[in-house]
Every structure is written in structure tokens, then in C-alpha cells.
């Protein structure tokens, strides 16, 4: 599969098979995150791989989205340092975690697995569920498992609506 094939096949999976993810697949998915670029190569990301059903349930409750806990794995994408801001004014940790988590999402597709970005969750409740210390921020939760659904059609703006050349054009 080309990278574009993988990107086209990724979709938000909100129903998972009751089937464990093989260790070698999980390892490659995590390796994809490890190889991601990060600001000044500081690699402030930490990934809590949650398989414990009770902890998954607590994360699903923190999100108010029961399907999150139904995946065999939920990865909490955490920032161990939230203090650095790039000269452009954008916080490093959000960008770093977003890139690494999308690496996870894409490698998951290559492994026949599915994921869903979860940003709607209660930060304090999710931190309590995984026992994260005060200074850590969970940037996203990401269920991981075998999809139990087919990919729906993609709904995206055409390139002509989102790309400008040389200057901003209204
Ligand atoms: C930053 C971010 C946060 C998201 N949070 C949630 C969420 O809390 N729950 C959910 O079901 N989907 C969530 N999504 C998934 C989006 O709804 C989804 O990516 C979008 O509708 C496009 O659909 P697709 O992923 O199937 O292509 C999130 C996506 C992103 C990128």
C-alpha cells in the first residue's frame, strides 16, 4: 500500500471486534509513533497503552463515549512537558503529539487495524484513570483494534476550497 492508499483507508472507527491486537502489530504501531518528528527532537510524548478493561472503562467514561472502552486497546497520547512554545507562537506539545498519533493511526491501517481520534474527554478524569501526574497533559485518546465497520464515504472540501498559491486569497 502506498502512503496515500493508507491515508485514504483511514477513517474514524467507532465499533471494534472483540479480538485482541497481536503484540507484533502493536509494537510496529508504537514504533511508528517513536519515529515521528518533534520540535527540537525533544520527544516529549509519552504513550500509555491501556489494555486493562477497568481503566479503558474509566477513560470511556471520561470521554462520555462508551465505544472508546470497547476497543481492546486505548492509547493515551500524553505530553510530559507542556511549557515550550515555538517562535511562531504555537505550543510544541500539541503539534508533536498530533504528528505521533497520526503516525499511529496510519500504521494501524497498514496493520489492518482501526483507530479514532478522541479529543472530547474530561482531562482530569482521564488523567485520574491512568494515574498521570499533575504536570502531564493528555492531548488525545486513541482506541485501537480491529474495525467492526466498513469505511463510510469521505466528506472533505475540494482542494480548490482549501489551497491557495503564493498569497492568501479570499
Ligand atoms: C483532534 C480530533 C478530535 C476528535 N475527537 C473525536 C471524539 O472525541 N469523538 C469521536 O467520535 N470522533 C472524534 N474525532 C474524529 C472526527 O470526527 C473525524 O476525524 C472526522 O469527522 C472525519 O472523519 P474520518 O476520521 O472518518 O475521516 C476527532 C478528530 C480529531 C482530528
Amino acid at each position: 500500500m502506498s502512503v496515500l492508499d493508507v491515508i485514504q483507508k483511514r477513517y474514524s472507527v467507532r465499533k471494534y471486534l472483540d479480538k485482541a491486537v497481536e503484540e507484533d502489530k502493536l509494537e510496529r504501531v508504537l514504533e511508528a509513533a517513536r519515529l515521528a518528528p518533534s520540535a527540537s527532537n525533544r520527544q516529549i510524548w509519552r504513550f500509555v497503552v491501556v489494555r486493562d478493561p477497568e481503566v479503558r472503562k474509566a477513560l470511556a467514561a471520561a470521554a462520555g463515549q462508551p465505544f472508546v472502552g470497547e476497543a481492546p486497546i486505548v492509547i493515551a497520547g500524553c505530553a510530559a512537558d507542556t511549557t515550550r512554545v515555538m517562535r511562531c507562537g504555537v505550543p510544541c506539545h500539541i503539534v508533536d503529539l498530533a504528528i505521533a498519533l497520526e503516525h499511529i493511526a496510519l500504521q494501524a491501517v497498514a496493520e489492518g487495524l482501526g483507530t479514532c481520534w478522541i479529543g472530547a474527554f474530561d482531562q482530569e478524569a482521564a488523567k485520574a484513570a491512568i494515574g498521570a501526574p499533575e504536570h502531564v497533559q493528555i492531548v488525545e485518546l486513541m482506541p485501537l483494534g480491529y474495525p467492526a465497520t466498513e469505511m463510510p464515504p469521505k466528506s472533505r472540501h475540494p482542494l480548490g476550497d482549501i489551497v491557495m498559491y503564493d498569497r492568501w486569497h479570499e
Side-chain angles (χ1 to χ4, degrees):
M1 261 196 289
S2 73
V3 175
L4 190 57
D5 287 339
V6 172
I7 289 169
Q8 280 166 342
K9 285 200 164 75
R10 187 217 56 83
Y11 70 98
S12 294
V13 175
R14 298 187 176 94
K15 198 166 168 46
Y16 294 88
L17 297 180
D18 184 15
K19 179 179 174 189
V21 173
E22 295 84 346
E23 283 303 314
D24 59 323
K25 290 193 174 197
L26 174 62
E27 203 163 303
R28 286 192 293 272
V29 163
L30 296 171
E31 178 68 358
R34 191 179 75 86
L35 294 175
S38 63
S40 307
N41 200 23
R42 289 178 56 249
Q43 306 166 63
I44 49 75
W45 48 56
R46 301 292 181 270
F47 305 97
V48 180
V49 179
V50 178
R51 282 183 282 211
D52 183 312
E54 287 307 309
V55 184
R56 281 191 281 130
K57 223 167 114 185
L59 289 175
Q65 302 182 69
F67 80 87
V68 171
E70 289 158 15
I73 294 173
V74 183
I75 298 174
C78 304
D81 177 0
T82 59
T83 61
R84 301 274 181 122
V85 178
M86 293 178 281
R87 222 150 40 89
C88 62
V90 176
C92 298
H93 69 287
I94 297 169
V95 179
D96 292 349
L97 262 297
I99 297 168
L101 286 164
E102 189 61 4
H103 276 204
I104 286 176
L106 296 180
Q107 184 60 29
V109 171
E111 302 288 351
L113 299 165
T115 57
C116 187
W117 281 77
I118 301 294
F121 64 90
D122 182 290
Q123 179 70 224
E124 292 313 315
K127 279 176 66 174
I130 61 168
E134 183 56 37
H135 70 280
V136 165
Q137 185 175 54
I138 304 175
V139 176
E140 291 286 328
L141 299 173
M142 188 163 273
L144 172 73
Y146 284 93
T149 51
E150 293 295 315
M151 184 174 86
K154 283 245 176 270
S155 160
R156 293 294 191 270
H157 300 305
L159 270 184
D161 288 2
I162 59 170
V163 179
M164 293 164 248
Y165 290 96
D166 300 324
R167 300 273 190 289
W168 184 279
H169 303 287
E170 290 299 341

